[in-house]
Amino acid sequence: MSEATSAAVTHTGHSTGTTGPGLLASLDPLLREWLPRQRWFAGKGRPVTGFSLVAATELLPVSSKLGLIHLLVRAHQPLVPLQSAAAHPADCYQLLLGVRETLPPRLAPALIGRLEEGPLAGRTVYEALYDPRPAEVLLEALRARARIGELRCERDMRQEIRAGLMPRLVTSEQSNSSIVFGDTFILKLLRRIVPGMNPDLELPLVLSREGCPRVPAPAGWLMADLASSEDSYVLGVLQPFVQGAADGWELALRELAKGEDFAAEARALGRATAEVHTALARALPTVTLGRAQLELLVGGMTERLEAAAQAVPALRPYAPDLHTAFEALADLAAEGNTWTAQRIHGDLHLGQCLRSPDGEWSLIDFEGEPSKSLAERRMPQPVARDIAGMLRSFDYAAHSQSPPDTDWATVCRAAYCAGYAEVSGSDPRTDPVLLRAYETDKAVYEVVYEARHRPDWLPVPLAAIRRLAA
């Protein structure tokens, strides 16, 4: 164990003058500029007006050549219309700051800035995840099940975590941050955090206990037990790294570009999805949705459609016909039909799936839609929501071609549903009203997202909107 890593495990980590409010005050101008530029910052489009400290922990003493500070800070921003401060407190972010006298050239992309005042005046702070040494500190803390101040590391002792695994930061765009250790493990650090059990840890742990091989079992996890909160915060999850795995989205695009059939992969992915759903239904409670619950569900879909039509004029001509998808579901509920709801993935698409070199599919990233509250993400829902997300993903892949290969999407969608039925015993297409409602809701969400962030992609969900409206 290196001197730096050993210090991480034995250091007390309590907030001191160095890591207290004085540090945050000196960091304020640097963070106001740096934080909004990060891919995982959720408050884009609104200025940051200030920060408040939630917790600060020295993982490596800042008095040493290389210091490492773990921060939980709230970023304060103006409220959006109709938003109340009580209902939407400032977002809390997890930051790992390296501290050096000067930054070596290899770490130039990680620069946050040089402090001119405060307890670290004259020193440079940077995004520590770019630096192998701080990353090693995190892995060693997990190996040792360390407690450092209010931080707590846990692990599954059945899985060996070897020392000395070389870390590398995953630089592709993500809503969180990930480090791969020696092509053996991947550590996902959550950036915007909330108190309570995050499904990105909760559900993989459940599936591991159920013996479901479709989700990598957590090997370790990082928590924060704060005196200011009754609930712990999930900060990070360490899972086995599927070496040589192909991202489902990238794989689909490659096969499309070559004109290759993807039906067999779609069918296998349908079976994998059903295995996960079946295991979750065995392990966790299911509920029955009757008329009252469906009215709330339909009401939410209707509100989202109306808001989207106001925001995106191109959607307005189709809104009346899209409403019929939700009305049909409400009518079935009024007739006494019921549906089963259970825990699901919550944000399923091709990019959340990995195919190993031996052809086996895994599902990853169970965090759910980050824009929703933790309570919403943990609510039981019909499996049709996950299925609709995957069907929309096949459609997106097909429309990435010019001209779009709609036949490819049709074949993949059918194969996926058939594969799902082989495991679950129920073909999603036998409940077309529920599936259409969820697919419509997803396409409406996509229209708003693309209009705001990627206008060039807007024709993709609009093509689905035309089909669903018809």
Side-chain angles (χ1 to χ4, degrees), residues 176-220:
N176 293 289
S177 297
S178 297
I179 306 170
V180 175
F181 291 94
D183 288 339
T184 304
F185 291 103
I186 182 167
L187 174 62
K188 178 179 178 180
L189 289 167
L190 305 177
R191 287 303 198 162
R192 186 167 62 129
I193 64 163
V194 293
M197 177 54 82
N198 192 297
D200 212 15
L201 173 61
E202 176 192 17
L203 297 187
L205 282 176
V206 166
L207 291 164
S208 173
R209 290 194 292 267
E210 284 295 305
C212 178
R214 299 303 179 188
V215 177

Side-chain angles (χ1 to χ4, degrees), residues 399-468:
H399 280 79
S400 70
Q401 300 288 100
S402 182
D405 192 342
T406 55
D407 289 341
W408 183 93
T410 299
V411 170
C412 287
R413 288 159 61 94
Y416 178 80
C417 290
Y420 190 93
E422 289 171 5
V423 172
S424 70
S426 176
D427 192 315
R429 294 169 292 185
T430 61
D431 196 353
V433 173
L434 182 64
L435 193 57
R436 181 192 172 210
Y438 270 109
E439 199 174 346
T440 300
D441 189 46
K442 182 68 173 179
V444 167
Y445 164 84
E446 292 164 353
V447 164
V448 176
Y449 180 89
E450 303 299 8
R452 288 177 177 170
H453 301 286
R454 301 188 301 184
D456 291 347
W457 282 76
L458 185 56
V460 177
L462 281 178
I465 289 293
R466 286 191 290 273
R467 172 174 58 81
L468 292 161

Side-chain angles (χ1 to χ4, degrees), residues 207 212 214-215 271-281 363 366:
L207 291 164
C212 178
R214 299 303 179 188
V215 177
R271 290 195 295 269
T273 306
E275 287 182 34
V276 170
H277 283 166
T278 303
L280 288 173
L363 274 57
F366 281 75

Side-chain angles (χ1 to χ4, degrees), residues 85-328:
H88 297 272
D91 287 328
C92 182
Y93 291 95
Q94 176 178 201
L95 308 180
L96 280 146
L97 305 184
V99 182
R100 289 176 179 263
E101 291 291 344
T102 58
L103 210 57
R106 63 182 174 83
L107 293 177
L111 176 66
I112 295 176
R114 189 169 182 83
L115 293 171
E116 301 298 334
E117 55 185 29
L120 298 178
R123 304 195 74 187
T124 299
V125 293
Y126 63 100
E127 167 57 88
L129 299 184
Y130 282 81
D131 194 343
R133 290 180 66 197
E136 290 170 1
V137 166
L138 294 176
L139 185 66
E140 185 57 32
L142 288 166
R143 287 186 70 242
R145 299 183 66 191
R147 284 181 176 267
I148 313 167
E150 295 177 302
L151 304 183
R152 168 170 53 93
C153 297
E154 300 289 354
R155 61 174 288 194
D156 178 356
M157 298 303 294
R158 296 170 297 178
Q159 298 191 53
E160 180 188 7
I161 304 176
R162 292 188 292 110
L165 296 174
M166 185 62 67
R168 59 180 170 86
L169 181 65
V170 177
T171 55
S172 58
E173 286 199 352
Q174 299 181 353
S175 56
N176 293 289
S177 297
S178 297
I179 306 170
V180 175
F181 291 94
D183 288 339
T184 304
F185 291 103
I186 182 167
L187 174 62
K188 178 179 178 180
L189 289 167
L190 305 177
R191 287 303 198 162
R192 186 167 62 129
I193 64 163
V194 293
M197 177 54 82
N198 192 297
D200 212 15
L201 173 61
E202 176 192 17
L203 297 187
L205 282 176
V206 166
L207 291 164
S208 173
R209 290 194 292 267
E210 284 295 305
C212 178
R214 299 303 179 188
V215 177
W221 46 98
L222 176 63
M223 310 288 291
D225 301 317
L226 306 181
S228 59
S229 173
E230 294 181 0
D231 295 314
S232 297
Y233 289 71
V234 177
L235 303 180
V237 183
L238 182 75
Q239 291 176 286
F241 181 71
V242 185
Q243 190 170 2
D247 172 280
W249 173 253
E250 297 297 335
L251 180 63
L253 294 187
R254 285 202 301 270
E255 298 302 295
L256 255 171
K258 294 187 295 185
E260 296 290 339
D261 178 63
F262 200 69
E265 297 294 353
R267 195 181 196 99
L269 190 49
R271 290 195 295 269
T273 306
E275 287 182 34
V276 170
H277 283 166
T278 303
L280 288 173
R282 282 198 311 265
L284 297 172
T286 62
V287 298
T288 298
L289 303 181
R291 181 172 182 174
Q293 293 83 5
L294 261 294
E295 285 178 350
L296 289 174
L297 181 69
V298 169
M301 292 176 170
T302 302
E303 288 177 9
R304 287 190 288 275
L305 173 58
E306 292 171 351
Q310 288 296 316
V312 185
L315 185 62
R316 293 173 193 167
Y318 305 102
D321 289 327
L322 295 176
H323 271 292
T324 64
F326 308 143
E327 292 164 359

